[in-house]
């Protein structure tokens, strides 16, 4: 009872602080922008810590944040090696390959209505290939190392980027297109000067969604075969060993890396689509 | 009431003949005869039975002893109450043409190993042999093996882990003949560790109602095992019936049942203390990174099998 | 009329299909425009002026009839970059600055960088937007956006200029100024100009030919050849010929409206 | 008429893909085939597996044209041929009683029911969150980063914990799987809806301000209709995600039934064709779901007069 | 001037921050508008007319100075639904038909269904769009869209009407007609009207007060109280008083332009 009151109290306090921050004059400065989610996260973590301690939840099921922090701090070299294997080699490579493929196919599809109509449904079909099925196949084909992970990621990020790019390339107003027509502009000028810029807000939508998919894909694919390094390897092995603090330390790495990846994309988006109403 | 007669059993893999004794007991009404209402939860690639036990999702789990002892050291007090598997079915299967003839030849080779709590026997063995597992030139490169035998067939690995009753058969099914292969049974190497045993949480054993329930459960389960050993084909048919995926083949399950029977043959369900000690010694001998660091205390009880089998 | 017309429409018909039935936007439109003509289109809103201009530019395909531009189909002429078009709304690309918007056709048509800079500066000056090179469209007032779009159409010196109410959002002083500029440009270059306006004085002041249209279905109700000289000072607007033509246009317009009410 | 206009291009693209697939079967399977041929005393060059391993699939295939036929009929191929997958699909979809566990239709239903429940939960949650983010400054600033973070957590790692925790409070069956499914599908909906709800331009918003419309009216009369195209785009991604989530959720619930269980068991027992058939079954199911959503989208947007504006 | 003004601006300043420096849109603007006034704003494009109208409506917040509407802040007045606003661009919602767009404010303000139907029909008639109830905005010509947006602002009878170049895209006949209608409406209802236009005759014909603005930074250069009677037949436009006022406005405008050039 006491614990519950404490937990709710922490929540209320965190929310109050954030409301004050969000409505303060400084709410649009970079510092406060980072501070607010941080306060929100700290609130959740405090509630978690209290709950684990008060209800005596077994560390085998849910470790306390403080335990996770200790494990995290003492396993930095392992975590770095795993990060390198999974995020840099697996996720990033796959993301880049998938992105290039999606752009290529989108441009191809965009050249004719016929191809759009043909490629989009087939692309949608690919998006629904569940990782549980594709991962073992790619491991079988490309081996247990990062190459198979990159392939899984490439397939996963392909569709969201494709769909958004195709939709974006079509998101021009009639008048904008007519203008190009009066210039007798051919395919490339109208692509480079009209459709691509107009598509950017959509493309970034796809790229942002794909960042999180890339991470999940690379990690989960390791469940189906891997060398003895990697975040997915570590997570699954640690679950087997009931080392849940290690599992959560890896999850923290994933969350940090994912947020940074997403944040970087969002930042680039802000830079290049400053003109879009949603950014003004 | 429910508490006195309901039992949930967590398996450590999907429904297959490895667990035939329990399915047979269920199907043949042995549990019912004991007044028990048993639910069998199949396992899967991400199910850690100790975790399910800790979360209260099951009353009993099946587990390999290395994994269970490690869990115990990690702070989850699980206790072995019965041990239907007397010998180990674990082995390494290698291509003969890689030149592997003895354990020493592993150096410089790539070996597939199951993790998720099943890596302990291999790691202990290697450290007893003094072979590093870090991928160095005079050590082995360890590959985290998935759920199939592809790494061997694709020659990505020189050896992989197989169970006598399952994966080894699959290698043969893939068209490989036995004389293309070299096998190393853990049993033969003197590093066998106990496999499928029944474990419960220590605290529960203080509850006489629970203990009584477990006695009946172990008795019925062992009856199930006896029945399955004697009726291999029928046991396979029962597995087919309980397999909800509908993807298993009866022939494979019958073959598996035959191999399983060799592992359970002669077990009363009572834990063989010698085998227990051998398992513990193997695990403790893990060199710099032993699986368990101290001789476990209270990791098994014979009270239940004593009561159940008399 | 010995010379072949630059633009020639014969029995043009255009019907839009909409959710509640067809809309006859143009019906039996016939018109010849000679090289160097300055043709104004005037008529009640919704009578098909924009639609007709779009047909000339090959942006809309007539349901029936025939239209040729420089002896080609409008589509071919479009591909030969025969047109500068000013749309009824400014339609600037939001991701480009004003300067960037004006540069757009120049980039597409492959002008050199230096040439681009020169021309952008020149037309920005022409429409009095010199300081606004680096602003984005949404930072400009409505009229300024419209002027930027005029500059964009003038930048690349097309032979045919099609302008859909280009000066609608401008005040009289700027409008007078731009009218003069446009006339001067036209006088210098022998361009053929199609010009939609709602202002009778503007139509009379600028045009060699005034096309009065009437609505539902849109058709041409009068074509007035202007007797005014090509050289036109602003005060020509007080001359009796001017007032006489303006009267004829107003009568034509009024007749169209009465049709409509009937 | 309209259906035909889509069908033809799709069939063309599928035909191209099938062509590539069929061509790929030979080099992909040639090593396994050569091993098997050697066991049956058919001459293959080079004649030891170790030497063959050094060659790429393509060059090995070119040296052993005689065994190409065998690559299409392997029982455990690396890449099954289309006709093998087709035959398995035909056999398990059409020839089996749909209520039998051997029927893929039965497994489709198992997965689909978890998918639909998860999708409903995820979409509802996603829309509610998006509305909160758009209308509440505090939520906007604090929740979005964490919604993003939530998606970077590998679900397959969390799934067992979710299942165990729900299991310990007695919740089993459909719901745990649906929670995982919802977890994956809410995110695209949040991202899309936030963008959509923010898509009205300044003038459209100003108009309502001059009417002093309240927040509810602004939502129902401006933001919601303006967000429709975005909503449908994200629903289509969301439903695919929900299906993937339901399948992923099948593994830690004991892989009993459903597409995920079929894939796993096919993989574990060396039956690649079973895995491939399940994979295709899942993708076809998703394609159907997406097609249904597209249909609803087209209807809705046309009724809203937006289909024509875009055309 | 014993009565309190409906709208009163004091030392109003407004500066926009843009990527290349601040833009002074309004500088030291002072103005009082009485109940029932018809005030026209005229001035070169970009001089701040739209910005000032938006300040009155509480859509833009001045950087300095004070503005009150009915003794309240513009924001409070907005909340009391004091305004009908016609934007410079039509800004119809694309997912609503013309009828639906006009119904929008009525729905928001809670008119009964029957009342909604009546009013939509009445204002559609007023702007001569009766047959276009069920069409979507993109199926209408530019002028028709603008008329629909006028109808939308008239539908709910606000006390203060703010209109930003409402008749810019219309031909003279329709414009004359709508001018008459607007005057009649104003005469009947005692509404206070703020009206931006580029047409000098229109400003003079309609207004009781003409505000001439000049640009960069936008400020008021002249305020002309019209001596014309409230009752104004169309031919009042030929009267000497009319022409005299028009002259004064034109001079004011020209002066503003010269400032600009300087
Ligand atoms: N895309 C379209 N779909 C359906 N009807 C259309 C479309 N475009 C125009 N119309 C109809 O065609 C008729 C002529 O339109 P148009 O735009 O040519 O008029 P306009 O003379 O330019 O009018 P304005 O002076 O108001 O711009 C109108 O009745 C309009 O409703
Ligand atoms: N959002 C904005 N950001 C930056 N500058 C702006 C913005 N809106 C308007 N301005 C600037 O403010 C000045 C006044 O603009 P405003 O729209 O009020 O002019 P206006 O008198 O209505 O012109 P017009 O007759 O062309 O519509 C212009 O110089 C314009 O560039
Ligand atoms: C992820 C994961 N990897 C390996 C095992 C180990 N395991 C226990 S029993 C068995 C026999 C299969 O025939 C296997 C492979 C597991 N449970 N989960
Ligand atoms: Mg028009
Ligand atoms: Mg303006």
């Amino acid at each position: 009872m006491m614990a519950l009151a404490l937990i709710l109290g922490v929540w209320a306090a965190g929310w109050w602080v954030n409301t004050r921050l969000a409505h303060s004059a400084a709410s649009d400065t970079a510092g406060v922008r980072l501070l607010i989610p941080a306060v929100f996260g700290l609130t959740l973590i405090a509630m978690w810590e209290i709950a684990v301690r008060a209800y005596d939840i077994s560390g085998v099921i849910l470790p306390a944040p403080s335990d996770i922090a200790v494990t995290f701090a003492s396993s930095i070299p392992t975590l770095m090696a795993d990060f390198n294997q999974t995020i840099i080699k697996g996720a990033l490579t796959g993301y880049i390959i998938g992105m290039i493929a999606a752009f290529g196919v989108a441009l191809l599809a965009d050249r004719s209505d016929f191809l759009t109509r043909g490629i989009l449904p087939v692309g949608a079909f690919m998006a629904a290939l569940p990782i549980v099925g594709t991962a073992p196949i790619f491991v079988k084909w490309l081996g247990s190392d990062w190459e198979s992970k990159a392939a899984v990621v490439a397939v996963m990020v392909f569709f969201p980027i494709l769909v958004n790019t195709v939709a974006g390339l079509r998101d021009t107003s009639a008048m904008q297109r007519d203008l190009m027509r009066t210039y007798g502009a051919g395919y490339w000028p109208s692509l480079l000067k009209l459709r691509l810029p107009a598509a950017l807000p959509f493309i970034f939508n796809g790229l942002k969604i794909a960042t999180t998919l890339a991470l999940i894909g690379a990690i989960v694919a390791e469940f189906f075969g891997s060398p003895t390094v990697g975040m997915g390897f570590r997570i699954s092995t640690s679950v087997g060993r009931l080392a849940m603090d290690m599992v959560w330390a890896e999850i923290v790495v994933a969350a940090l890396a994912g947020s940074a990846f997403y944040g970087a994309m969002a930042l680039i988006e802000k830079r290049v689509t400053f003109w879009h109403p949603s950014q003004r | 009431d429910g508490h006195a007669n309901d039992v949930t059993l967590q398996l450590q893999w999907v429904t297959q003949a490895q667990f035939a004794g329990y399915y047979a007991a269920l199907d043949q009404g042995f549990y019912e005869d004991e007044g028990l209402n048993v639910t069998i939860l199949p396992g899967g690639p991400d199910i850690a039975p100790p975790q399910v036990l800790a979360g209260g999702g099951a009353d009993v789990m099946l587990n390999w002893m290395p994994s269970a002892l490690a869990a115990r050291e990690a702070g989850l007090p699980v206790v072995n109450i019965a041990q239907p598997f007397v010998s180990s079915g674990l082995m390494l299967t290698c291509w003969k043409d890689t030149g592997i003839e003895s354990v020493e030849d592993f150096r410089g080779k790539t070996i597939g190993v199951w993790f998720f709590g099943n890596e302990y026997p291999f790691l202990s063995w290697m450290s007893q042999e003094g072979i590093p597992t870090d991928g160095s030139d005079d050590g082995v490169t360890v590959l985290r093996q998935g759920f199939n035998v592809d790494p061997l067939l694709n020659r990505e690995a020189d050896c992989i882990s197989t169970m006598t009753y399952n994966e080894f058969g699959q290698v043969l099914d893939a068209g490989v003949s036995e004389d293309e292969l070299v096998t190393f049974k853990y049993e033969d190497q003197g590093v066998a560790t106990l496999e499928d045993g029944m474990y419960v949480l220590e605290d529960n054993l203080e509850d006489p109602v629970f203990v009584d329930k477990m006695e009946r459960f172990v008795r019925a389960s062992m009856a199930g095992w006896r029945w399955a050993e004697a009726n291999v084909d029928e046991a396979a048919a029962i597995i087919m019936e309980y397999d909800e995926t509908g993807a298993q083949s009866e022939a494979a399950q019958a073959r598996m049942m035959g191999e399983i029977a060799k592992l359970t043959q002669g077990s009363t369900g009572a834990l063989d203390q010698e085998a227990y000690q051998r398992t513990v010694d193997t695990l403790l001998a893990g060199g710099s990174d032993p699986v368990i660091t101290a001789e476990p205390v209270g990791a098994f009880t014979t009270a239940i099998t004593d009561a159940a089998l008399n | 009329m010995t010379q072949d017309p630059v633009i020639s429409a014969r029995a043009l018909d255009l019907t839009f299909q909409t959710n509640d039935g067809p809309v006859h936007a143009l019906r039996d439109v016939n018109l010849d425009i000679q090289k160097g003509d300055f043709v104004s289109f005037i008529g009640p809103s919704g009578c098909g002026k924009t639609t007709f201009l779009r047909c000339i530019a090959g942006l809309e395909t007539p349901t029936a009839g025939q239209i040729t531009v420089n002896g080609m189909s409008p589509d071919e002429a479009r591909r030969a970059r025969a047109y500068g078009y000013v749309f009824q709304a400014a339609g600037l690309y939001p991701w480009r600055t004003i300067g960037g918007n004006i540069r757009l056709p120049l980039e597409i048509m492959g002008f050199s960088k230096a040439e681009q800079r020169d021309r952008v500066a020149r037309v920005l000056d022409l429409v009095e937007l010199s300081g606004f090179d680096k602003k984005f469209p949404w930072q400009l007032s409505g009229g300024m956006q419209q002027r930027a779009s005029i500059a964009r159409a003038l930048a690349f010196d097309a032979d045919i200029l099609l302008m859909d109410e280009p000066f609608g959002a401008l005040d009289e002083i700027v409008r007078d100024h731009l009218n003069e500029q446009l006339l001067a440009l036209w006088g210098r270059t022998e361009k053929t100009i199609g010009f939609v306006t709602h202002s009778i004085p503007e139509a009379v002041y600028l045009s060699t030919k005034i096309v009065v249209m009437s609505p539902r279905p849109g058709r041409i109700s009068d074509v007035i050849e202007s007797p005014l000289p090509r050289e036109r000072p602003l005060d020509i607007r007080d001359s009796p010929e001017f007032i006489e033509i303006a009267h004829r246009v107003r009568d034509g317009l009024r007749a169209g409206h009465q049709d409509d009410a009937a | 008429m309209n259906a035909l206009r889509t069908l033809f291009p799709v069939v063309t693209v599928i035909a191209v893909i099938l062509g590539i697939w069929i061509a790929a079967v030979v080099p992909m399977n040639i090593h396994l085939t050569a091993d098997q041929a050697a066991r049956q005393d058919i001459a293959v060059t080079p004649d030891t597996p170790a030497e063959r391993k050094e060659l790429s699939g393509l060059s090995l295939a070119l040296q052993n044209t005689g065994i190409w036929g065998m690559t299409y009929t392997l029982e455990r191929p690396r890449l099954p041929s289309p006709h093998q997958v087709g035959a398995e699909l035909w056999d398990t979809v059409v020839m089996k009683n749909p209520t039998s566990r051997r029927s893929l239709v039965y497994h489709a239903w198992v997965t689909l029911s978890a998918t639909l429940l998860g999708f409903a939960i995820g979409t509802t949650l996603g829309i509610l969150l998006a509305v909160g983010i758009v209308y509440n400054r505090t939520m906007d600033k604090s929740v979005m980063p964490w919604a993003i973070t939530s998606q970077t957590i590998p679900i397959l790692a969390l799934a067992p914990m979710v299942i165990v925790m729900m299991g310990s409070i007695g919740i089993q069956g459909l719901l745990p799987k649906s929670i995982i499914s919802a977890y994956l599908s809410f995110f695209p909906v949040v991202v899309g809806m936030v963008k959509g709800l923010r898509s009205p331009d300044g003038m459209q918003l100003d108009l309502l301000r001059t009417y002093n419309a309240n927040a509810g009216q602004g939502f129902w009369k401006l933001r919601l209709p303006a967000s429709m195209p975005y909503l449908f785009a994200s629903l289509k991604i969301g439903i695919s995600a929900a299906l993937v989530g339901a399948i992923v959720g099948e593994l830690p619930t004991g892989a009993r039934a459903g597409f995920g269980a079929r894939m796993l068991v096919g993989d574990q027992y060396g039956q690649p064709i079973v895995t491939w058939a399940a994979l295709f079954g899942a993708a076809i199911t998703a394609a159907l779901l997406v097609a249904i959503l597209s249909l609803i989208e087209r209807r809705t947007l046309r009724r809203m007069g937006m289909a024509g504006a875009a055309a």
Side-chain angles (χ1 to χ4, degrees), chain A residues 3 23 49 52 83 89 96 113-114 125 152 156 163 169 190 196 202 210 212 221 261 264:
Chain A
H23 291 91
E49 182 84 36
V52 168
F83 170 85
K89 291 189 192 160
I96 292 169
D113 217 34
F114 182 85
F125 187 82
V152 170
M156 275 182 90
V163 171
L169 289 173
S190 93
L196 220 47
F202 284 78
T212 63
F261 196 1

Side-chain angles (χ1 to χ4, degrees), chain D residues 155-225:
Chain D
I155 9 102
L156 213 50
L158 272 198
M161 290 179 239
V162 173
I163 307 278
V164 167
M165 280 197 255
M166 295 193 76
S168 65
I169 53 172
I171 299 173
Q172 282 180 359
L174 209 56
L175 203 57
K177 285 191 273 180
S178 302
I179 299 277
I180 295 166
S181 165
Y183 183 85
L184 276 190
S185 63
F186 92 92
F187 185 64
V189 178
V190 175
V191 173
M193 274 308 269
V194 167
K195 193 138 209 148
L197 291 174
R198 288 198 172 139
S199 67
D201 64 30
M203 198 201 306
Q204 291 173 329
L205 288 165
D206 283 346
L207 184 70
L208 286 192
R209 288 175 68 197
T210 68
Y211 300 154
N212 187 34
N214 61 34
Q217 292 166 327
F219 178 75
W220 291 110
K221 297 195 188 295
L222 175 58
R223 290 191 188 270
L224 190 66

